[in-house]
Coordinates of all heavy atoms in Angstrom, one line a residue:
M1 N 16.2 -34.1 32.6 CA 16.3 -35.6 32.8 C 15.1 -36.3 32.2 O 15.2 -37.3 31.5 CB 16.6 -35.9 34.2 CG 16.8 -37.3 34.5 SD 18.4 -37.9 33.9 CE 18.5 -39.4 34.6
K2 N 13.9 -35.8 32.6 CA 12.7 -36.5 32.1 C 12.6 -36.4 30.6 O 12.2 -37.3 30.0 CB 11.5 -35.8 32.7 CG 10.9 -36.4 34.0 CD 9.7 -35.7 34.3 CE 9.0 -36.4 35.5 NZ 7.7 -35.7 35.9
E3 N 13.0 -35.2 30.1 CA 12.9 -35.0 28.7 C 13.9 -36.0 27.9 O 13.5 -36.5 26.9 CB 13.3 -33.6 28.3 CG 13.1 -33.2 26.9 CD 13.4 -31.8 26.6 OE1 12.8 -30.9 27.3 OE2 14.2 -31.5 25.7
D4 N 15.1 -36.2 28.5 CA 16.0 -37.2 27.9 C 15.4 -38.6 27.9 O 15.6 -39.3 26.9 CB 17.3 -37.2 28.6 CG 18.1 -35.9 28.5 OD1 17.8 -35.2 27.5 OD2 18.9 -35.5 29.3
I5 N 14.8 -39.0 29.0 CA 14.2 -40.3 29.0 C 13.1 -40.5 28.0 O 13.0 -41.5 27.3 CB 13.7 -40.6 30.5 CG1 14.9 -40.8 31.4 CG2 12.9 -41.9 30.5 CD1 14.5 -40.8 32.9
F6 N 12.3 -39.4 27.9 CA 11.2 -39.4 26.9 C 11.7 -39.5 25.5 O 11.2 -40.3 24.7 CB 10.3 -38.2 27.1 CG 9.2 -38.1 26.1 CD1 8.1 -38.9 26.2 CD2 9.3 -37.3 25.0 CE1 7.1 -38.9 25.3 CE2 8.2 -37.3 24.0 CZ 7.1 -38.1 24.2
K7 N 12.8 -38.8 25.2 CA 13.4 -38.9 23.9 C 14.0 -40.2 23.6 O 13.8 -40.8 22.5 CB 14.5 -37.8 23.7 CG 14.0 -36.4 23.5 CD 15.2 -35.5 23.4 CE 14.8 -34.0 23.3 NZ 15.9 -33.1 23.2
W8 N 14.6 -40.8 24.6 CA 15.2 -42.2 24.4 C 14.0 -43.2 24.2 O 14.1 -44.0 23.3 CB 16.0 -42.6 25.7 CG 16.5 -44.0 25.5 CD1 17.7 -44.3 25.0 CD2 15.9 -45.2 25.9 NE1 17.8 -45.7 25.0 CE2 16.7 -46.3 25.5 CE3 14.6 -45.5 26.4 CZ2 16.4 -47.6 25.7 CZ3 14.3 -46.9 26.6 CH2 15.2 -47.9 26.3
F9 N 13.0 -43.1 25.0 CA 11.9 -44.0 24.9 C 11.2 -43.9 23.5 O 10.9 -44.9 22.9 CB 10.8 -43.8 26.0 CG 9.7 -44.8 25.9 CD1 9.9 -46.1 26.4 CD2 8.5 -44.4 25.4 CE1 8.9 -47.0 26.4 CE2 7.4 -45.4 25.4 CZ 7.6 -46.7 25.9
K10 N 11.1 -42.7 23.0 CA 10.4 -42.5 21.7 C 11.3 -43.1 20.6 O 10.8 -43.8 19.7 CB 10.2 -41.0 21.5 CG 9.5 -40.7 20.2 CD 9.3 -39.2 20.0 CE 8.7 -38.9 18.6 NZ 8.5 -37.5 18.4
A11 N 12.6 -42.8 20.6 CA 13.5 -43.3 19.6 C 13.6 -44.8 19.6 O 13.6 -45.5 18.6 CB 14.9 -42.7 19.8
A12 N 13.7 -45.4 20.9 CA 13.8 -46.8 21.0 C 12.5 -47.5 20.5 O 12.6 -48.6 19.9 CB 14.1 -47.2 22.5
S13 N 11.4 -46.9 20.8 CA 10.1 -47.5 20.4 C 10.0 -47.5 18.9 O 9.5 -48.5 18.3 CB 9.0 -46.7 21.0 OG 9.0 -46.8 22.4
I14 N 10.4 -46.4 18.2 CA 10.4 -46.3 16.8 C 11.2 -47.4 16.2 O 10.8 -48.1 15.2 CB 10.8 -44.9 16.3 CG1 9.7 -43.9 16.6 CG2 11.0 -44.9 14.8 CD1 10.1 -42.5 16.4
R15 N 12.5 -47.6 16.7 CA 13.4 -48.6 16.2 C 12.8 -50.0 16.4 O 12.9 -50.9 15.5 CB 14.7 -48.5 16.9 CG 15.6 -47.5 16.4 CD 16.9 -47.4 17.2 NE 17.9 -46.7 16.5 CZ 19.0 -47.2 16.0 NH1 19.2 -48.5 16.1 NH2 19.8 -46.4 15.3
A16 N 12.2 -50.2 17.6 CA 11.6 -51.5 17.9 C 10.4 -51.9 17.0 O 10.3 -53.0 16.5 CB 11.2 -51.6 19.3
I17 N 9.6 -50.9 16.7 CA 8.4 -51.1 15.8 C 8.9 -51.4 14.4 O 8.4 -52.3 13.7 CB 7.5 -49.9 15.8 CG1 6.8 -49.9 17.2 CG2 6.5 -50.0 14.7 CD1 6.1 -48.6 17.5
K18 N 9.9 -50.7 13.9 CA 10.4 -50.9 12.6 C 11.1 -52.3 12.5 O 10.9 -53.0 11.5 CB 11.5 -49.9 12.2 CG 10.9 -48.5 11.9 CD 12.0 -47.5 11.5 CE 11.4 -46.2 11.2 NZ 12.5 -45.2 10.8
T19 N 11.8 -52.7 13.5 CA 12.4 -54.0 13.6 C 11.4 -55.1 13.6 O 11.5 -56.1 12.9 CB 13.3 -54.2 14.8 OG1 14.4 -53.2 14.8 CG2 14.0 -55.5 14.9
F20 N 10.3 -54.9 14.3 CA 9.2 -55.9 14.4 C 8.6 -56.1 13.0 O 8.4 -57.2 12.5 CB 8.1 -55.4 15.4 CG 7.0 -56.3 15.5 CD1 6.9 -57.3 16.4 CD2 5.9 -56.2 14.6 CE1 5.8 -58.2 16.5 CE2 4.8 -57.0 14.7 CZ 4.8 -58.0 15.7
A21 N 8.3 -55.0 12.3 CA 7.7 -55.0 11.0 C 8.6 -55.6 10.0 O 8.2 -56.5 9.1 CB 7.3 -53.6 10.6
Q22 N 9.9 -55.3 10.0 CA 10.9 -55.8 9.0 C 11.0 -57.3 9.2 O 11.1 -58.1 8.3 CB 12.2 -55.1 9.2 CG 12.2 -53.7 8.7 CD 13.4 -52.9 9.1 OE1 14.2 -53.4 10.0 NE2 13.6 -51.8 8.5
T23 N 11.1 -57.8 10.5 CA 11.2 -59.2 10.8 C 10.0 -60.0 10.3 O 10.1 -61.0 9.7 CB 11.5 -59.4 12.3 OG1 12.6 -58.7 12.7 CG2 11.7 -60.9 12.6
A24 N 8.8 -59.5 10.6 CA 7.6 -60.1 10.2 C 7.5 -60.2 8.7 O 7.2 -61.2 8.1 CB 6.4 -59.4 10.8
A25 N 7.8 -59.1 8.0 CA 7.8 -59.1 6.6 C 8.7 -60.1 6.0 O 8.5 -60.7 4.9 CB 8.0 -57.7 6.1
S26 N 9.9 -60.2 6.6 CA 10.9 -61.1 6.0 C 10.5 -62.6 6.2 O 11.0 -63.5 5.4 CB 12.2 -60.9 6.7 OG 12.3 -61.4 8.0
L27 N 9.6 -62.9 7.1 CA 9.2 -64.3 7.3 C 7.9 -64.7 6.5 O 7.6 -65.9 6.5 CB 9.0 -64.5 8.8 CG 10.2 -64.5 9.6 CD1 9.9 -64.5 11.1 CD2 11.1 -65.7 9.3
I28 N 7.3 -63.7 5.9 CA 6.1 -64.0 5.1 C 6.6 -64.2 3.7 O 7.0 -63.2 3.1 CB 5.1 -62.8 5.2 CG1 4.6 -62.7 6.7 CG2 3.9 -63.1 4.3 CD1 3.7 -61.5 7.0
T29 N 6.5 -65.4 3.2 CA 7.0 -65.7 1.9 C 6.0 -65.1 0.8 O 4.8 -65.3 0.8 CB 7.1 -67.2 1.7 OG1 7.8 -67.8 2.8 CG2 7.7 -67.6 0.4
V30 N 6.6 -64.5 -0.2 CA 5.9 -63.9 -1.3 C 5.3 -65.0 -2.1 O 6.0 -66.0 -2.4 CB 6.8 -63.0 -2.2 CG1 6.0 -62.5 -3.4 CG2 7.3 -61.8 -1.4
G31 N 4.0 -65.0 -2.4 CA 3.4 -66.0 -3.2 C 2.7 -67.1 -2.3 O 2.0 -67.9 -2.9
S32 N 2.9 -67.0 -1.0 CA 2.2 -68.0 -0.2 C 0.8 -67.6 0.1 O 0.4 -66.4 0.2 CB 2.9 -68.1 1.2 OG 4.2 -68.6 1.1
M33 N 0.0 -68.6 0.3 CA -1.4 -68.3 0.7 C -1.4 -68.0 2.2 O -0.6 -68.5 2.9 CB -2.3 -69.5 0.4 CG -2.5 -69.7 -1.1 SD -3.5 -71.1 -1.6 CE -4.4 -71.6 -0.3
I34 N -2.4 -67.2 2.6 CA -2.5 -66.8 4.0 C -2.5 -68.1 4.9 O -1.9 -68.1 6.0 CB -3.7 -66.0 4.3 CG1 -3.6 -64.6 3.6 CG2 -4.0 -65.8 5.7 CD1 -2.5 -63.7 4.1
S35 N -3.2 -69.1 4.5 CA -3.3 -70.3 5.3 C -2.0 -71.1 5.4 O -1.9 -72.0 6.3 CB -4.5 -71.2 4.8 OG -4.1 -71.6 3.4
E36 N -1.1 -70.9 4.5 CA 0.2 -71.6 4.5 C 1.2 -71.0 5.4 O 2.3 -71.6 5.7 CB 0.7 -71.7 3.1 CG -0.1 -72.5 2.1 CD 0.4 -72.4 0.7 OE1 1.3 -71.6 0.4 OE2 -0.1 -73.3 -0.1
I37 N 1.0 -69.8 5.9 CA 2.0 -69.0 6.6 C 1.9 -69.5 8.1 O 0.9 -69.6 8.7 CB 1.8 -67.5 6.6 CG1 1.9 -67.0 5.1 CG2 2.7 -66.8 7.5 CD1 1.5 -65.6 4.9
N38 N 3.1 -69.8 8.7 CA 3.2 -70.2 10.1 C 3.2 -68.9 10.9 O 4.2 -68.4 11.2 CB 4.5 -71.0 10.3 CG 4.6 -71.5 11.7 OD1 3.9 -71.1 12.6 ND2 5.5 -72.5 11.9
W39 N 2.0 -68.5 11.3 CA 1.8 -67.2 12.0 C 2.5 -67.3 13.4 O 3.0 -66.2 13.9 CB 0.4 -66.8 12.1 CG -0.2 -66.5 10.8 CD1 -1.0 -67.2 10.0 CD2 0.1 -65.3 10.0 NE1 -1.2 -66.5 8.8 CE2 -0.5 -65.3 8.8 CE3 0.9 -64.1 10.3 CZ2 -0.5 -64.3 7.8 CZ3 1.0 -63.1 9.3 CH2 0.3 -63.2 8.1
G40 N 2.5 -68.4 14.0 CA 3.2 -68.5 15.3 C 4.7 -68.2 15.2 O 5.2 -67.5 16.0
L41 N 5.3 -68.7 14.2 CA 6.7 -68.4 13.9 C 6.9 -66.9 13.6 O 7.8 -66.3 14.1 CB 7.2 -69.3 12.8 CG 8.7 -69.0 12.3 CD1 9.6 -69.4 13.4 CD2 9.0 -69.7 11.0
V42 N 6.0 -66.4 12.8 CA 6.2 -65.0 12.4 C 6.1 -64.1 13.6 O 6.9 -63.2 13.9 CB 5.1 -64.6 11.4 CG1 5.1 -63.1 11.1 CG2 5.3 -65.3 10.0
W43 N 5.0 -64.3 14.5 CA 4.8 -63.5 15.6 C 5.9 -63.6 16.7 O 6.4 -62.6 17.2 CB 3.5 -63.7 16.3 CG 2.3 -63.2 15.5 CD1 1.4 -63.9 14.7 CD2 2.0 -61.8 15.4 NE1 0.5 -63.0 14.2 CE2 0.8 -61.7 14.5 CE3 2.5 -60.6 15.9 CZ2 0.2 -60.5 14.2 CZ3 1.9 -59.4 15.6 CH2 0.7 -59.4 14.8
S44 N 6.3 -64.9 17.0 CA 7.3 -65.1 18.0 C 8.7 -64.5 17.6 O 9.4 -63.9 18.4 CB 7.4 -66.5 18.4 OG 7.8 -67.3 17.3
S45 N 9.0 -64.7 16.3 CA 10.3 -64.2 15.8 C 10.3 -62.7 15.8 O 11.3 -62.0 16.2 CB 10.6 -64.7 14.4 OG 10.7 -66.1 14.4
A46 N 9.2 -62.1 15.4 CA 9.1 -60.6 15.4 C 9.2 -60.0 16.8 O 9.8 -59.0 17.0 CB 7.9 -60.2 14.7
I47 N 8.5 -60.7 17.7 CA 8.6 -60.2 19.1 C 10.0 -60.3 19.7 O 10.4 -59.4 20.4 CB 7.5 -60.9 20.0 CG1 6.1 -60.5 19.6 CG2 7.8 -60.7 21.5 CD1 5.0 -61.4 20.2
V48 N 10.6 -61.4 19.5 CA 12.0 -61.5 20.0 C 12.9 -60.5 19.3 O 13.7 -59.9 20.0 CB 12.6 -63.0 19.7 CG1 14.1 -63.1 19.9 CG2 11.8 -64.0 20.5
A49 N 12.8 -60.2 18.0 CA 13.6 -59.2 17.4 C 13.3 -57.8 18.0 O 14.2 -57.0 18.2 CB 13.3 -59.2 15.9
C50 N 12.0 -57.6 18.3 CA 11.6 -56.3 18.9 C 12.3 -56.1 20.3 O 12.8 -55.0 20.6 CB 10.1 -56.3 19.0 SG 9.4 -54.8 19.7
L51 N 12.2 -57.1 21.1 CA 12.9 -57.1 22.4 C 14.4 -56.9 22.3 O 15.0 -56.1 23.0 CB 12.6 -58.4 23.2 CG 11.1 -58.5 23.6 CD1 10.9 -59.9 24.3 CD2 10.7 -57.4 24.6
Y52 N 15.0 -57.6 21.3 CA 16.4 -57.4 21.1 C 16.7 -56.0 20.7 O 17.7 -55.4 21.2 CB 16.9 -58.4 20.0 CG 18.3 -58.4 19.8 CD1 19.2 -59.0 20.7 CD2 18.9 -57.8 18.7 CE1 20.6 -59.0 20.5 CE2 20.2 -57.7 18.5 CZ 21.1 -58.4 19.4 OH 22.4 -58.3 19.2
S53 N 15.9 -55.4 19.9 CA 16.1 -54.0 19.5 C 16.1 -53.1 20.7 O 16.9 -52.2 20.8 CB 15.0 -53.6 18.5 OG 15.1 -52.2 18.2
V54 N 15.1 -53.3 21.6 CA 15.1 -52.4 22.8 C 16.3 -52.6 23.7 O 16.9 -51.7 24.2 CB 13.8 -52.7 23.6 CG1 13.8 -52.0 24.9 CG2 12.5 -52.3 22.8
L55 N 16.7 -53.9 23.8 CA 17.9 -54.1 24.7 C 19.2 -53.5 24.1 O 20.0 -53.0 24.8 CB 18.1 -55.6 24.9 CG 17.0 -56.3 25.7 CD1 17.2 -57.8 25.7 CD2 17.0 -55.8 27.1
T56 N 19.3 -53.6 22.8 CA 20.5 -53.0 22.2 C 20.4 -51.4 22.2 O 21.4 -50.8 22.2 CB 20.7 -53.4 20.7 OG1 19.5 -53.1 19.9 CG2 21.0 -54.9 20.6
S57 N 19.2 -50.9 22.3 CA 19.1 -49.4 22.4 C 19.6 -48.9 23.7 O 19.9 -47.7 23.9 CB 17.6 -49.0 22.2 OG 17.2 -49.3 20.9
V58 N 19.6 -49.8 24.7 CA 20.1 -49.4 26.1 C 21.6 -49.0 25.9 O 22.0 -48.1 26.6 CB 20.0 -50.5 27.1 CG1 20.7 -50.2 28.4 CG2 18.5 -50.8 27.3
A59 N 22.3 -49.6 25.0 CA 23.7 -49.3 24.8 C 23.9 -47.9 24.2 O 25.0 -47.3 24.3 CB 24.4 -50.3 23.9
G60 N 22.9 -47.4 23.6 CA 23.0 -46.0 23.0 C 22.3 -46.0 21.7 O 22.3 -46.9 20.9
L61 N 21.7 -44.8 21.4 CA 21.1 -44.5 20.1 C 21.8 -43.4 19.4 O 21.9 -42.3 20.0 CB 19.6 -44.2 20.3 CG 18.7 -45.3 20.9 CD1 17.4 -44.7 21.3 CD2 18.6 -46.4 19.9
P62 N 22.4 -43.7 18.2 CA 23.1 -42.6 17.5 C 22.3 -41.4 17.3 O 22.9 -40.3 17.2 CB 23.6 -43.3 16.2 CG 23.0 -44.6 16.2 CD 22.3 -44.9 17.5
E63 N 21.0 -41.5 17.1 CA 20.2 -40.3 16.8 C 20.0 -39.4 18.0 O 19.5 -38.2 17.9 CB 18.9 -40.7 16.2 CG 18.0 -41.5 17.0 CD 18.2 -43.0 16.7 OE1 19.2 -43.5 16.3 OE2 17.2 -43.7 16.9
L64 N 20.4 -39.8 19.2 CA 20.3 -39.0 20.4 C 21.6 -38.3 20.8 O 21.6 -37.7 21.9 CB 19.7 -39.8 21.5 CG 18.3 -40.3 21.3 CD1 17.8 -41.1 22.5 CD2 17.3 -39.2 21.0
K65 N 22.6 -38.4 20.1 CA 23.9 -37.9 20.5 C 23.9 -36.4 20.3 O 23.3 -35.8 19.6 CB 25.1 -38.5 19.7 CG 25.1 -40.0 20.0 CD 26.5 -40.5 20.1 CE 26.3 -42.0 20.4 NZ 27.2 -42.6 21.2

């Protein structure tokens, strides 16, 4: 049982980190100067996407079947 929880946590964490990075990358416009980027929007959107990823992982992860 402990091993299953650890496997789920590891898989869900990897998915959440990837989702965070992909969301942040999608909000940073190519060709923009660093000072032009709305970092508050980038961080808050990426955090919400990360949390959403963890919540959807509760429904099940295909890599753990």
